[in-house]
Amino acid sequence: MAPKPLDYESLNENVKKVAYAVRGELYLRASELQKEGKKIIFTNVGNPHALGQKPLSFPRQVVALCQAPFLLDDPNVNLMFPADAIARAKHYLSLTSGGLGAYSDSRGLPGIRKEVADFIERRDGYPSDPELIFLTDGASKGVMQILNSVIRNEMDGILVPVPQYPLYSAAISLFGGSLVPYYLEEEANWSLDFNNIRQSVAAARSKGITVRAMVIINPGNPTGQCLSEANIRELLRFCFRENLVLLADEVYQQNIYQDERPFISARKILFDMGPPMSKEVQLVSFHTVSKGYWGECGQRGGYFEMTNLPPKTVDEIYKVASVSLSPNVPGQIFLGLMVNPPKPGDISYLKFATESKAILESLRKRAHIMTDGFNSCKNVVCNFTEGAMYSFPQIRLPQKAIEAAKMAGKAPDVFYCLKLLEATGISTVPGSGFGQKEGVFHLRTTILPAEEDMPAIMASFKKFNDAFMEQYEGYGGYSRM
C-alpha cells in the first residue's frame, strides 16, 4: 500500500534534514524529568522571563492600554497609568486601522518603521529609510525570509560561523541550500580567522557551490564575543571582494558586559568606509525585542533593514511578506517602544532607566560569576562572555568518557550534558548542536538564572564536573585542542 502524503517516509526531505539542538534531545529529556517532579534549571534557551527576569514596566503599561483601549475611557485611568504611557498608547492606536486586532501593512506599521529608522540614524549617524525596514515576528522570521530569497538550490552556499546559532543550519536545510562553515578562533576569544574563511570559500567553490551570503552574529551566539571594528571592516572588504550579501545578526547589541569593545553595527562601519563599498556591499541587519534588557521573547517583535538592495528585490521580498498578511501588531508596538523608549524629562524615564540599568548590571555580574565558575572546574576552559547571554565552555573530556559515550551511542558532549542534567537538573545544549572543531567538546548555557541562584548553580556544576572527571580519568588523559 502506497504511503499517505503526510506519512513520515513521504515527507519533504528538507523538513527531515532540519536539526535544532536548542530544543533537541537534552531539552526533551529535561521536560520528561520535570514531569517526574525533578527541579530543572532551563539554561538551554535565551528566554529571560522564563528564568525570572521581570518585564520593564513602561512597555507593558503601554501595550496593556493598547490591548484594552476601553481603559483609556475610564475616568480613573490616570490613577493606574502614568500620563506618558497613556499618551503613547493613544499614539500607537492612532497608527493602526482598528486597534491591535486589525492587520497592519505586511511590512509593519509605517509609524513604527519610522521610529526604527530614527533609532538607526541616532545609533549609526547615518539616515535610514523606513521603506527599507520590514517588521517581523521576531528576528528569526526575518532571517528565514532573507535566506529563502537568497537560496535558489542546493548549489547555493551560505557562509555561517561555527559555532553557530542553529536557526541558520536549520533554515538553510529547510530551503535546500548548502551551509559553508567558517570556524571562529577560540584561542583568540572567538574572533574571525580570514585565512580559514578564504579556505572555506575555496573548498565550497571546488565542489561547484556558489557562495552567495555570509552570516555574522555580533555579539556572538553561542560564543559571547564582541567583534572588533577592525574585524568587521575586514569582513566587509571580504564581502565586497567576493560579491557576498552580509547578513548581520545583531540581536544582542544591548547585551554588552565589558567596555573595551562596545557594539558597533556593521552598517555604521560600512558607511564610515565610504564609496565604492558603502554604495556596493549588500547588507541585511536584524534586531529584536527578545534580547537585551527587554527579554520579551514571547512577544515576537523584530525587524530587518536592507542596505544597497535594488528596489525590484525589495518589492519581491514585500510580495513574499504579504503572503503572511501582517506581522503581529503587539510585537510591533513593543519594537516601537524599544527603539523609542522614555526620554530624560518624561514621567516614566527614571523608573525605566533604573529597571534597565539593574538588569544589565546584574547580567554583567552573572557573566563574571559564570566564567570564573567554569574556569575553576577541572578540565574546563571558558572565554569571558563579553556580550549576548551565553557561556560556551570547552569541556576537555577524558578518553574513557569518550569511549563510554560511544558505547551508549551518544556524541561525547551529549553524553556529558545528559549526565549533568540527571545529576543536577541543569539543562544545557551540547556544543555539537552549534558545530565545533573535530575532537573538541563544549556546552552552551545561558547566563540568565537569577543572580542570587548563580553561585549555587555553579557550585552544583563544579561538584558534578569534578566527580565526572575523577570517574573517567586515568585512561589516556583528555581530549585537547
Side-chain angles (χ1 to χ4, degrees), residues 235-430:
L235 186 104
L236 287 160
R237 280 197 202 99
F238 179 79
C239 289
F240 179 62
R241 279 196 307 270
E242 301 293 338
N243 191 26
L244 305 176
V245 57
L246 180 62
L247 309 183
D249 179 335
E250 297 175 333
V251 300
Y252 295 100
Q253 58 190 264
Q254 288 179 341
N255 296 96
I256 307 294
Y257 312 125
Q258 39 71 46
D259 304 315
E260 296 74 42
R261 268 199 296 285
F263 169 78
I264 309 171
S265 73
R267 179 183 183 272
K268 174 176 169 48
I269 295 170
L270 177 62
F271 285 147
D272 283 350
M273 292 170 89
M277 284 185 45
S278 60
K279 300 265 189 234
E280 293 287 331
V281 174
Q282 294 184 334
L283 168 68
V284 185
S285 309
F286 303 90
H287 198 10
T288 183
V289 301
S290 299
K291 309 302 175 187
Y293 41 83
W294 287 66
E296 293 281 7
C297 300
Q299 311 292 355
R300 311 313 297 136
Y303 76 78
F304 62 86
E305 182 198 25
M306 299 167 279
T307 302
N308 295 326
L309 268 61
K312 276 188 166 176
T313 299
V314 176
D315 290 345
E316 291 299 312
I317 293 168
Y318 183 16
K319 179 181 77 182
V320 174
S322 301
V323 174
S324 302
L325 290 168
S326 163
N328 88 82
V329 178
Q332 295 182 48
I333 292 171
F334 272 101
L335 188 69
L337 290 159
M338 182 182 81
V339 296
N340 186 14
K343 295 175 182 60
D346 292 353
I347 297 161
S348 297
Y349 174 74
L350 199 59
K351 187 175 187 186
F352 177 84
T354 305
E355 289 175 350
S356 308
K357 188 172 176 230
I359 291 167
L360 273 182
E361 282 180 353
S362 175
L363 284 168
R364 188 182 276 229
K365 281 185 207 155
R366 284 179 265 174
H368 280 282
I369 294 168
M370 196 161 252
T371 308
D372 293 347
F374 282 132
N375 283 323
S376 77
C377 294
K378 194 173 188 181
N379 295 353
V380 179
V381 282
C382 188
N383 285 326
F384 176 61
T385 301
E386 298 179 336
M389 294 178 170
Y390 311 99
S391 264
F392 198 64
Q394 185 189 142
I395 315 293
R396 295 176 167 178
L397 293 173
Q399 193 56 42
K400 190 182 169 198
I402 294 169
E403 286 161 13
K406 210 173 181 178
M407 294 280 290
K410 304 282 181 201
D413 52 0
V414 174
F415 179 77
Y416 177 91
C417 290
L418 280 167
K419 294 274 190 200
L420 170 68
L421 173 65
E422 303 277 350
T424 65
I426 301 169
S427 174
T428 58
V429 189

Side-chain angles (χ1 to χ4, degrees), residues 74-97:
D74 190 302
N76 296 318
V77 68
N78 290 302
L79 301 176
M80 284 290 294
F81 293 90
D84 51 355
I86 294 168
R88 190 69 83 86
K90 287 178 176 172
H91 163 70
Y92 284 129
L93 287 169
S94 76
L95 299 179
T96 69
S97 59

Side-chain angles (χ1 to χ4, degrees), residues 45-112:
V45 64
N47 192 9
H49 293 195
L51 285 162
Q53 183 175 308
K54 295 280 183 286
L56 299 170
S57 303
F58 182 74
R60 287 298 184 98
Q61 288 167 330
V62 174
V63 175
L65 288 165
C66 290
Q67 288 280 21
F70 50 83
L71 293 175
L72 292 166
D73 302 324
D74 190 302
N76 296 318
V77 68
N78 290 302
L79 301 176
M80 284 290 294
F81 293 90
D84 51 355
I86 294 168
R88 190 69 83 86
K90 287 178 176 172
H91 163 70
Y92 284 129
L93 287 169
S94 76
L95 299 179
T96 69
S97 59
L100 270 54
Y103 289 133
S104 74
D105 184 287
S106 304
R107 297 165 295 185
L109 293 163
I112 294 178

Side-chain angles (χ1 to χ4, degrees), residues 29-42:
R29 179 65 185 135
S31 302
E32 275 173 23
L33 288 170
Q34 190 180 43
K35 280 181 196 150
E36 291 165 16
K38 188 172 177 73
K39 184 178 183 244
I40 302 296
I41 303 153
F42 284 100

Side-chain angles (χ1 to χ4, degrees), residues 112-185:
I112 294 178
R113 286 189 282 131
K114 173 76 169 71
E115 284 184 304
V116 174
D118 292 345
F119 156 77
I120 292 168
E121 182 171 353
R122 285 193 306 275
R123 184 193 67 189
D124 295 345
Y126 297 98
S128 170
D129 181 355
E131 295 297 300
L132 299 175
I133 293 165
F134 282 33
L135 309 187
T136 53
D137 292 335
S140 303
K141 273 284 163 67
V143 167
M144 292 179 82
Q145 271 176 269
I146 297 300
L147 285 173
N148 198 16
S149 304
V150 171
I151 295 167
R152 300 166 300 184
N153 55 50
E154 71 279 2
M155 300 313 287
D156 279 349
I158 311 293
L159 268 170
V160 176
V162 174
Q164 54 105 24
Y165 175 49
L167 162 68
Y168 292 95
S169 50
I172 292 164
S173 293
L174 191 59
F175 300 133
S178 292
L179 186 145
V180 180
Y182 67 91
Y183 287 92
L184 301 173
E185 280 307 299

